[in-house]
Amino acid sequence: MSALEPVIGLEVHAQLSTATKIFSGSSAAFGAPPNTQTDPVCLGLPGALPVVNVKAVEFAMRLGLALGCEIRESNVFARKHYFYPDVPKNYQISQFDQPICRGGEVPIVVDGKPSTVALERIHLEEDAGKSLHDQTQGQTTLVDLNRAGVPLVEIVSQPVLRSVEEAGAYLTALRRLVRYLDICDGNMEEGSLRCDANVSVREVGVSTLGTKVEIKNMNSIRGVMAALVHEIERQKKAVADGERIRQETRLWDPDRNTTRVMRSKEEASDYRYFPDPDLPPVLIDEAWLERVRMALPELPAARAGRLVREFGVSADDAAQLSQSRAHADYFEQVVASVGKVERAGKLVSNWMVGEVARVLNERDGEIDSLGVSASGLAELIQLVVDGTVSSSLAKEVFEKMTQGGGSAAEIVERDGLRQISDVGEIDAQVRQILDSHPQQVQTYLDGKESVAAFFVGQLMKLTRGQANPKLANDIVRKALEERRG
Amino acid sequence: MSGTHLSRRSVEQLLQGMDRGEFSGAELTEACVARVREADAALQAFVEVFDEPVAASSGGRLSGIPYATKANIAVVGRELTCCSRILKGYVSPFDATVTARLREAGATLLGVTNMDEFAMGSSTENSHGGPSRNPWHADAVPGGSSGGSAAAVAAGMVPFALGSDTGGSVRQPAAFCGVVGLKPTYGRVSRFGLVAFASSLDQVGPLTRNVRDAALVYSALAGHDPRDATTMDRPVGDVLAEIEGGPAGLRVGIPRALVSEGVDADVRADFEATCEQLRKAGAQLVDVDLPAAKAAVATYYVLCTAEASSNLARYDGIRYGHRAQAQDGAQEQSLVDMTCATRTEGFGAEVKRRIVLGTFVLSAEYAEAYYNKASQVRTLLRREFDAAFETCDVIATPTSPTPAFLRGEKAADPLAMYLGDVYTVSANLTGLPALSVPTACNEAGLPLAIHLTAPAMQEGILLRAGRAVEHVRGFDEDRWTLMEKSS
């Protein structure tokens, strides 16, 4: 048997960050006490009727336009029926055979190679409430309907992803895009971005699809990737063992790093879709489409391209710098504040992908959690450029800045981190060091010139790193050469 | 003037009487409540008479006029049961838009009328609280599903009442009880706060004793509502302006194929008599062809059950209304057991029948053959009506192929009951406005009626035609004499 390859399609649900729900006026904000953000419509009270939130439609249009989808002129909402306590009407208002967006593609970069992921469709629907199982004594379930009726777009990719890495890149790109478009906060932990994966395996070279398994319950991009790794291995092993893959839905268990069966195909529901008679089709004309198109912000790929062109940063760095609008804005602000410095873009970029990224990673936060303003970082970089502080000590200064230690200049002064660039001062110290290490001096004079580094090290120790490294090197060399007699 | 007689007056007469200071709104309310106390023990038209009538600020166009509302229309702070066990005890936290509009118009709400459970039925026998009676005949049904509203208006308890009409539920009981029933164009009157039966067919309408009153109440109800996306944002116009236009020049379309068979002889004779008198008075009778109307009942029962199965899914015992208790004294029951038991106990036989039918016609294997096919017929039917209206102003048929039938007569035969909707369902399927106007009584003393349909948003011409029928038949002037003779 030839090698097996995975075939992956992803279904991503993104909560749209509208102020109110998709079919009623109550707040769609996250985190309020349970069942405080409800109204007759999202509670499914008798006689209540849904009315479409035009903003939600517009958010979906933004996404569709950004991804090059075909946007439907007449949008029909359909009812999807299933009994569940967190779906108060026992049907969900969704879109069925006439989704708002068809086609389109998501640009991704894997191992530096750009490609695209083709989309099947994007449709609008209302979110369900939240079931909180086993929160009290006995087998009871509590239901919070704050989330019921929050607008969602479901983004369905074609089954064209061929590796876990591609899946990860696709999700990263989508998350970045929805944030750029300001239509979703992209927070997977809070569930504002959710992903289900359809996975099958087949022999390489075969064009038909294998039996697919759906996996649910991943709440981070890393989780999706881990679940995919596990599921692909499970299926490969099953095929190798001569087993048949069953069509089923499996739940990812991040604690045990495994999946378990949730339901099999035989238990699949008949959703009895039909057009919701309470909602006339939403008509999208060319004028509306054009207004939304004109208001689109610069998209991630375009922004990354511009950063390469305008600031001379590398493509990889540009991708990282443009991870979010705020991040890229911050970068550009720092460059602007640094002012006329040679290769300022590259210099700032190195700080961003280096120290800034390290701190954000430690904090698992976004640029707004850095605690250092763009002008603050620019000030520090200027201090490095004008020689006030050494590059290595600047990292220490930056660390203190992120902890609220004050401005770069303040920290440098207060903690005495100013770089010593006084030739006389360094010279005096170097001579003192040479005098107290005659043996090492002799070793140098005997031809082992690498010993010079030892003296530089000693000097740095003595000056607590403050000596200008370039000057230190030159002066040590000069003083040693002088001793050749 | 005695209280009884005050309660017999039309809305228009009552407004004039109050204008002239002959009596106050409070006295009128008192007279109507007295009439309810007197008559309703026998008729059972009301399921609730409020201890304190819900009055509003005065000054509106219906200021001081008492009315009754159907048990599927929300009134804030009042029980909203749809005459179903499953909603027993459920109190609505909001007003229906029609309730709010009548409140603004100054009308006084006396109570809630009986209906077939969730508006499913043609006799008001499917009410969880028991049937209402026809004021013209103690053993006859008042029709349905708005049977309580029709009986209350016919018996002189209130000058008008609200009903809802999904397949004829305002017009058929109006016909059975000798009152006027109007189903407005779909989208003219808000459905917000009307408990949904079949959302694409439901429309609230008034039951009154004459056509001018129907126009008055309609004017207070109609108009765009931002809370109901299916309402039209178009001016309603003054339907009273052209109402006295008379029969002269009116082109009345008659679908001959539809009225020639399956109709009781007295109904047919009365229908012909009305048409003939309209002609004599200057109207022009035009033959129209509506071949798809033969499939209207079948189409209707596919679509309305499909929508009902969806709309009624929310009654699961979880959030409100009836909840089945665990069996055998158990402390806990599973969710599925509870929901099944709640729906089994909470819904009556007819509602269950329609939920099962609707679930079937929407199921994956059968949706194409039933739901989708019915949707196509619906489109076809609308086209046929539009074509017919190129040659006529209104289309006339009887409202029902029979006069009011006896209680229990059709209860065991749902198909026979459904076939009685043959003349009314087309207006719901097409969304067109339609009106039932009483014409005469048959030999048994039961009222007969004509049914008129007009083009979309043409309530003006519809009401003018209805008023012309009143002119030529003169039923309303004789109603109390006829009723006394009948009972």
Side-chain angles (χ1 to χ4, degrees):
Chain A
M1 189 163 62
S2 52
L4 293 171
E5 67 169 2
V7 176
I8 304 164
L10 298 180
E11 291 171 12
V12 174
H13 284 91
Q15 277 185 349
L16 300 177
S17 45
T18 52
T20 57
K21 294 186 175 178
I22 184 167
F23 297 118
S24 65
S26 58
S27 166
F30 177 83
N35 296 309
T36 55
Q37 294 182 162
T38 60
D39 57 69
V41 177
C42 65
L43 289 174
L45 295 188
L49 293 174
V51 176
V52 174
N53 179 349
V54 174
K55 206 83 200 162
V57 178
E58 203 161 300
F59 279 18
M61 289 162 71
R62 271 191 219 170
L63 184 59
L65 286 168
L67 294 172
C69 305
E70 177 196 325
I71 296 181
R72 184 178 299 278
E73 205 181 308
S74 174
N75 279 272
V76 175
F77 286 96
R79 294 183 181 179
K80 175 183 182 179
H81 299 85
Y82 61 100
F83 277 87
Y84 207 72
D86 58 23
V87 181
K89 302 182 292 295
N90 287 317
Y91 62 78
Q92 177 196 27
I93 305 177
S94 181
Q95 291 188 296
F96 180 47
D97 50 358
Q98 300 176 48
I100 182 163
C101 303
R102 282 243 190 244
E105 54 189 30
V106 178
I108 61 167
V109 179
V110 177
D111 295 337
K113 273 185 286 181
S115 63
T116 60
V117 176
L119 296 179
E120 185 69 41
R121 59 186 276 162
I122 300 174
H123 70 251
L124 273 163
E125 62 186 21
E126 59 177 342
D127 208 343
K130 213 167 195 170
S131 286
L132 306 158
H133 301 291
D134 305 324
Q135 299 281 306
T136 56
Q137 291 286 308
Q139 284 192 306
T140 56
T141 292
L142 300 175
V143 177
D144 177 8
L145 294 177
N146 283 352
R147 204 179 69 178
V150 168
L152 290 179
V153 281
E154 182 174 335
I155 306 153
V156 184
S157 83
Q158 289 184 14
V160 291
L161 297 159
R162 292 288 176 270
S163 72
V164 173
E165 291 69 32
E166 280 185 8
Y170 169 79
L171 286 175
T172 306
L174 257 191
R175 181 167 66 177
R176 177 179 304 178
L177 182 68
V178 296
R179 285 174 172 169
Y180 261 76
L181 295 170
D182 239 344
I183 60 171
C184 169
D185 66 21
N187 189 325
M188 289 187 84
E189 285 71 32
E190 287 179 4
S192 39
L193 197 71
R194 309 195 280 270
C195 177
D196 300 334
N198 288 306
V199 195
S200 59
V201 294
R202 68 179 175 196
E203 285 179 30
V204 173
V206 172
S207 62
T208 53
L209 294 171
T211 305
K212 72 172 178 188
V213 169
E214 184 178 13
I215 14 176
K216 288 175 173 289
N217 198 39
M218 293 83 78
N219 60 6
S220 66
I221 293 178
R222 249 169 284 179
V224 172
M225 294 173 77
L228 284 172
V229 167
H230 176 272
E231 179 59 22
I232 291 164
E233 279 318 303
R234 189 190 71 84
Q235 289 190 22
K236 281 184 175 172
K237 185 171 179 304
V239 171
D241 292 351
E243 287 172 30
R244 212 166 48 86
I245 305 289
R246 280 186 302 273
Q247 187 170 342
E248 61 195 7
T249 301
R250 301 179 74 90
L251 278 185
W252 170 244
D253 182 342
D255 298 329
R256 296 199 179 82
N257 206 49
T258 186
T259 61
R260 61 186 157 82
V261 178
M262 185 175 128
R263 58 172 176 253
S264 71
K265 194 203 176 190
E266 288 69 41
E267 298 161 62
S269 318
D270 178 352
Y271 292 122
R272 293 181 286 121
Y273 282 101
F274 80 102
D276 192 324
D278 289 330
L279 295 162
V282 177
L283 303 177
I284 298 173
D285 59 13
E286 194 43 53
W288 189 10
L289 213 48
E290 192 50 33
R291 276 202 307 280
V292 176
R293 190 181 286 127
M294 294 307 287
L296 281 183
E298 187 181 26
L299 300 179
R303 182 118 193 207
R306 187 166 63 77
L307 294 185
V308 171
R309 283 195 314 278
E310 279 182 27
F311 301 101
V313 302
S314 72
D316 279 351
D317 287 357
Q320 202 180 325
L321 291 172
S322 56
Q323 62 184 268
S324 76
R325 240 154 84 178
H327 205 90
D329 287 348
Y330 185 93
F331 165 75
E332 289 193 38
Q333 283 159 17
V334 177
V335 176
S337 301
V338 163
K340 285 207 170 85
V341 169
E342 207 178 320
R343 302 187 60 205
K346 187 70 194 145
L347 198 58
V348 175
S349 171
N350 287 343
W351 271 92
M352 294 291 290
V353 301
E355 289 307 292
V356 172
R358 184 184 58 74
V359 171
L360 293 182
N361 213 25
E362 273 170 16
R363 295 182 181 180
D364 197 16
E366 303 289 329
I367 192 73
D368 61 355
S369 68
L370 186 63
V372 177
S373 69
S375 57
L377 177 56
E379 183 194 359
L380 175 61
I381 292 173
Q382 275 165 335
L383 292 180
V384 177
V385 171
D386 70 17
T388 308
V389 66
S390 70
S391 301
S392 52
L393 278 183
K395 289 178 184 170
E396 197 179 320
V397 174
F398 178 73
E399 184 70 32
K400 287 179 175 166
M401 288 168 76
T402 64
Q403 287 156 6
S407 76
E410 282 163 11
I411 294 168
V412 168
E413 283 313 314
R414 188 184 62 220
D415 298 353
L417 300 174
R418 183 178 279 277
Q419 179 164 266
I420 300 163
S421 299
D422 182 324
V423 178
E425 191 181 340
I426 296 174
D427 196 55
Q429 302 229 23
V430 167
R431 279 169 207 287
Q432 218 180 332
I433 293 165
L434 295 194
D435 288 347
S436 50
H437 295 88
Q439 218 172 332
Q440 283 84 350
V441 172
Q442 195 52 53
T443 311
Y444 177 88
L445 295 176
D446 290 346
K448 199 161 179 234
E449 300 196 351
S450 60
V451 175
F454 165 78
F455 293 108
V456 174
Q458 288 299 308
L459 175 67
M460 287 300 176
K461 209 158 135 192
L462 212 64
T463 60
R464 289 187 331 221
Q466 280 170 265
N468 181 320
K470 172 121 187 21
L471 283 179
N473 245 316
D474 292 351
I475 291 170
V476 164
R477 290 268 176 187
K478 210 170 134 222
L480 283 168
E481 289 304 323
E482 276 173 11
R483 302 214 170 185
R484 271 191 208 280
Chain B
M1 187 173 277
S2 83
T4 306
H5 284 118
L6 202 54
S7 76
R8 284 183 170 187
R9 293 198 201 175
S10 72
V11 172
E12 208 170 18
Q13 288 166 341
L14 292 168
L15 287 170
Q16 286 161 359
M18 283 186 282
D19 259 3
R20 287 194 295 263
E22 288 172 28
F23 49 88
S24 67
E27 287 167 326
L28 173 57
T29 296
E30 209 174 296
C32 288
V33 170
R35 175 63 188 148
V36 174
R37 303 272 179 237
E38 172 189 60
D40 206 44
L43 293 176
Q44 299 287 313
F46 281 80
V47 292
E48 184 182 4
V49 179
F50 300 147
D51 292 334
E52 287 289 321
V54 181
S57 55
S58 56
R61 65 173 104 201
L62 295 173
S63 187
I65 301 294
Y67 81 103
T69 200
K70 191 175 177 177
N72 59 353
I73 295 172
V75 180
V76 63
R78 303 284 178 173
E79 204 178 355
L80 178 63
T81 68
C82 301
C83 292
S84 176
R85 186 181 177 198
I86 211 157
L87 276 173
K88 195 145 181 54
Y90 171 70
V91 173
S92 178
F94 59 87
D95 262 343
T97 296
V98 289
T99 309
R101 291 215 167 152
L102 290 180
R103 208 187 276 274
E104 280 158 33
T108 304
L109 181 56
L110 298 192
V112 178
T113 57
N114 199 14
M115 60 185 278
D116 287 299
E117 184 181 4
F118 282 105
M120 298 177 188
S122 312
S123 66
T124 317
E125 292 169 287
N126 298 335
S127 166
H128 177 61
S132 300
R133 279 146 218 266
N134 191 316
W136 296 81
H137 192 303
D139 296 324
V141 300
S145 65
S146 312
S149 286
V153 175
M157 298 192 236
V158 279
F160 83 92
L162 291 186
S164 67
D165 190 316
T166 306
S169 278
V170 163
R171 293 159 288 154
Q172 185 258 22
F176 279 18
C177 290
V179 297
V180 171
L182 169 66
K183 185 209 77 88
T185 308
Y186 185 82
R188 267 306 192 204
V189 176
S190 171
R191 294 181 298 114
F192 184 83
L194 167 70
V195 181
F197 157 17
S199 316
S200 75
L201 304 160
D202 297 340
Q203 196 67 184
V204 173
L207 293 107
T208 58
R209 284 192 289 265
N210 67 44
V211 175
R212 289 186 64 90
D213 281 3
L216 269 173
V217 179
Y218 167 75
S219 302
L221 298 176
H224 178 244
D225 178 8
R227 290 188 297 183
D228 175 359
T230 63
T231 54
M232 291 179 283
D233 197 359
R234 302 262 203 91
V236 176
D238 181 5
V239 289
L240 279 156
E242 51 183 314
I243 201 163
E244 297 300 338
L250 203 63
R251 295 172 303 161
V252 180
I254 299 170
R256 286 282 162 206
L258 217 56
V259 299
S260 56
E261 48 184 90
V263 190
D264 281 10
D266 50 353
V267 172
R268 186 167 173 198
D270 181 70
F271 174 70
E272 299 296 348
T274 305
C275 292
E276 183 54 21
Q277 289 183 41
L278 282 172
R279 192 188 63 77
K280 278 188 189 151
Q284 187 189 339
L285 303 186
V286 183
D287 283 353
V288 294
D289 202 17
L290 300 168
K294 284 207 180 94
V297 170
T299 303
Y300 171 78
Y301 277 95
V302 169
L303 296 177
C304 82
T305 56
E307 292 187 23
S309 72
S310 171
N311 284 326
L312 271 61
R314 67 186 64 189
Y315 307 112
D316 54 15
I318 294 175
R319 292 166 306 281
Y320 48 78
H322 177 68
R323 177 185 291 182
Q325 295 306 303
Q327 296 299 299
D328 311 323
Q331 286 297 300
E332 288 182 6
Q333 55 186 337
S334 80
L335 180 70
V336 172
D337 288 349
M338 186 280 285
T339 299
C340 288
T342 295
R343 290 168 69 81
T344 303
E345 294 172 6
F347 290 132
E350 181 61 28
V351 173
K352 282 181 208 162
R353 175 165 28 241
R354 295 196 192 192
I355 290 172
V356 171
L357 263 172
T359 304
F360 174 79
V361 301
L362 282 177
S363 63
E365 298 96 309
Y366 297 101
E368 189 57 42
Y370 292 99
Y371 180 80
N372 294 355
K373 181 64 77 183
S375 300
Q376 288 164 359
V377 176
R378 183 179 194 174
T379 307
L380 183 68
L381 189 67
R382 175 64 191 259
R383 274 197 218 121
E384 287 183 6
F385 269 85
D386 287 347
F389 283 124
E390 287 178 10
T391 60
C392 64
D393 301 310
V394 291
I395 291 171
T397 63
T399 306
S400 161
T402 69
F405 46 87
L406 298 180
R407 217 168 27 258
E409 191 182 329
K410 294 188 182 178
D413 188 354
L415 265 188
M417 193 82 92
Y418 296 172
L419 286 170
D421 301 338
V422 58
Y423 298 122
T424 49
V425 294
S426 289
N428 303 87
L429 290 169
T430 55
L432 300 174
L435 181 72
S436 179
V437 183
T439 48
C441 284
N442 68 2
E443 283 181 7
L446 289 167
L448 302 169
I450 191 168
H451 182 265
L452 302 166
T453 308
M457 293 178 282
Q458 298 293 318
E459 277 82 1
I461 194 125
L462 178 70
L463 291 159
R464 172 191 156 192
R467 183 82 187 99
V469 169
E470 265 178 352
H471 254 304
V472 298
R473 298 305 305 265
F475 177 87
D476 191 41
E477 289 92 273
D478 300 337
R479 70 165 56 247
W480 304 113
T481 331
L482 285 168
M483 191 179 267
E484 272 152 35
K485 231 166 55 188
S486 162
S487 52

